Amino acid sequence: MDSVHLPRRLLLAGIGSAALATVAGCESQSPGATPATPRPTTTARPSRTAARGGEAALRRKIASLLVVGFRGDRVSDRDWIVKAVRGGLGGVILFDQDLETKSVRNIRSPEQVTRLVKSLKDASPGRLIVSIDQEGGRTSRLNRSNGFPATRSEAEIGAEDSSAATRDWARGLVASLARIGANLNYAPVVDLNVNPDSRAIGKLGRSFSADPDVVVSNATEEIQAHRAAGVKTVLKHFPGLGSAAGNTDFEVVDVSDTWQERELEPFQRLIQAGVADSVMAAHVLNRQLDPAYPASLSTATVTDLLRGRLGWRGPVVSDDMQAVAITDRYGAAAAVALALQAGLDLLVFANQQVYNPRVVDETVDTIMGLVRTGRISEDRIDQSVTRVDSLRPKR
């Protein structure tokens, strides 16, 4: 397949009015201030009548677009997460460790977490997304400490660059996921290892290679192994995090001076080959693509570049919406509005940076307000529901 080569003039050509509106909205802001919210990407009039199917139905549709983390290695009917799942929550995300308490969060043993997943699925009226970060190596929530096999990192696999070895490695990853009932893995990482000293990618061994051919071939093997087991995948971190000096979970990361156009190549080739299930938009600031907003909140990056230039028609997933890179500058409500306006479909709240048992209700309330005031249309919500449904497990 031809390598992607998008000259800067082509990358920026599609940004058009969205980027100009963003710039115009920010001209009067001080450098540290939160930019003004841009115009919505979907035209909608303020709703003066009941939502299609009623307000309760709209709330459930909105809730179905959220994935949320929670504390506990078992659940009961009284727990807020079970109530949220019964109310139509789209999915959950599992973690081995709790960032704040430094204790075990959801995973103690294979048997325990399998029971936990079954309890959550049984509570769901729909097809619950059960998601996890199982990249291999250091970023593996299922690991030796909780009774699962150790896994090699993407960097180790890419260095070997053997189709047979990659296939065996990927099947091992997937076997653990299938064992517990997880059905969405935030992997593979398809960032190019352009900066081996990156605290987000290179130093953690999270990239197959700096060579797009190696990344694409190994990612393809990994995705095919997931698909064979009925587990969906997420390409990350669009439009490329390999040159990042920092980690967006804990700080604002700007790759404007280090990002290279070739970092788009793995995403484009995997999309064109039809092996992508979903794409994650990174919280990285890249002024080569958008002068004001990080990729995850950028219409220019998500709608114009990813969907427009690269032709992606499937679901776009957020990185953690509670990451410091987002919350410190925008706050929860503004970030949700910007993400939806940019074109994201599935919003992930890890509940790790902060722990908020009301995050589902508060986020649904925020989006309901956006629909009522016409900043987001119900048709736009329906589009995301359809795309996210493609990630849900079959009955």
Side-chain angles (χ1 to χ4, degrees):
M1 185 175 294
D2 291 339
S3 298
V4 61
H5 180 69
L6 299 179
R8 180 173 175 134
R9 57 186 174 80
L10 288 182
L11 284 172
L12 298 180
I15 294 176
S17 60
L20 293 175
T22 300
V23 176
C26 300
E27 283 178 348
S28 62
Q29 301 285 347
S30 62
T34 299
T37 302
R39 295 179 181 272
T41 58
T42 301
T43 303
R45 294 180 180 179
S47 176
R48 299 183 181 277
T49 59
R52 187 183 309 133
E55 185 167 300
L58 177 57
R59 291 186 69 89
R60 291 182 75 88
K61 286 194 289 189
I62 293 169
S64 77
L65 305 179
L66 310 181
V67 166
V68 174
F70 62 99
R71 287 175 176 161
D73 59 8
R74 65 187 68 183
V75 291
S76 72
D77 291 347
R78 298 183 300 275
D79 291 325
W80 69 268
I81 189 64
V82 172
K83 294 176 183 177
V85 167
R86 285 181 172 159
L89 177 65
V92 296
I93 178 171
L94 304 176
F95 289 95
D96 51 347
Q97 298 292 317
D98 189 277
L99 191 62
E100 183 178 10
T101 66
K102 310 299 182 186
S103 60
V104 172
R105 191 176 234 210
N106 306 128
I107 307 166
R108 290 186 181 275
S109 72
E111 296 75 21
Q112 166 271 320
V113 71
T114 300
R115 289 192 298 269
L116 173 64
V117 169
K118 184 178 186 303
S119 296
L120 292 165
K121 287 183 175 179
D122 287 347
S124 176
R127 297 172 293 149
L128 186 70
I129 292 172
V130 178
S131 65
I132 195 166
D133 286 288
Q134 191 71 6
E135 299 173 6
R138 295 176 62 175
T139 308
S140 300
R141 311 306 181 197
L142 308 176
N143 51 60
R144 294 182 68 178
S145 74
N146 46 45
F148 291 89
T151 56
R152 290 195 290 168
S153 68
E154 283 196 12
E156 293 172 302
I157 295 300
E160 186 171 351
D161 195 24
S162 158
S163 295
T166 302
R167 198 172 302 123
D168 287 344
W169 166 78
R171 287 171 178 167
L173 283 180
V174 176
S176 293
L177 298 174
R179 178 179 182 180
I180 70 170
N183 48 51
L184 179 66
N185 189 9
Y186 299 107
V189 173
V190 297
D191 299 302
L192 298 184
N193 190 27
V194 293
N195 175 13
D197 293 326
S198 167
R199 296 197 304 276
I201 300 297
K203 280 196 170 182
L204 300 179
R206 297 176 72 194
S207 170
F208 287 118
S209 175
D211 182 344
D213 289 339
V214 174
V215 171
V216 170
S217 63
N218 284 276
T220 299
E221 292 286 357
E222 182 177 357
I223 293 167
Q224 289 174 341
H226 280 73
R227 286 185 169 182
V231 179
K232 297 297 178 70
T233 56
V234 184
L235 305 183
K236 62 185 188 184
H237 306 79
F238 188 82
L241 194 60
S243 70
N247 188 327
T248 58
D249 284 344
F250 308 107
E251 59 191 307
V252 176
V253 175
D254 189 335
V255 297
S256 303
D257 296 330
T258 56
W259 181 83
Q260 303 170 36
E261 292 169 16
R262 67 188 182 95
E263 294 181 56
L264 294 174
E265 184 173 337
F267 296 97
Q268 185 181 50
R269 289 172 60 181
L270 292 165
I271 288 169
Q272 289 182 342
V275 295
D277 296 321
S278 65
V279 178
M280 178 182 287
H283 291 325
V284 64
L285 186 63
N286 185 339
R287 291 191 176 89
Q288 294 187 47
L289 304 178
D290 189 314
Y293 290 92
S296 55
L297 309 183
S298 166
T299 300
T301 305
V302 175
T303 296
D304 297 342
L305 177 56
L306 177 58
R307 293 203 186 282
R309 299 280 172 182
L310 272 59
W312 177 237
R313 296 292 178 264
V316 180
V317 181
S318 81
D319 207 338
D320 181 13
M321 292 296 294
Q322 295 164 316
V324 170
I326 296 300
T327 56
D328 272 10
R329 182 159 191 183
Y330 300 98
V336 166
L338 287 163
L340 291 175
Q341 290 171 354
L344 271 65
D345 301 298
L346 188 65
L347 304 184
V348 179
F349 296 82
N351 255 349
Q352 285 275 36
Q353 303 291 333
V354 297
Y355 190 73
N356 179 11
R358 288 191 48 78
V359 67
V360 177
D361 290 337
E362 290 175 359
T363 305
V364 171
D365 287 345
T366 293
I367 299 174
M368 285 291 293
L370 296 172
V371 175
R372 289 193 192 102
T373 57
R375 292 174 64 191
I376 296 289
S377 71
E378 190 168 353
D379 285 342
R380 168 69 182 82
I381 299 297
D382 289 339
Q383 290 168 7
S384 284
V385 169
T386 298
R387 286 192 283 255
V388 170
D389 279 350
S390 71
L391 294 177
R392 298 192 187 283
K394 296 179 180 179
R395 286 291 191 185

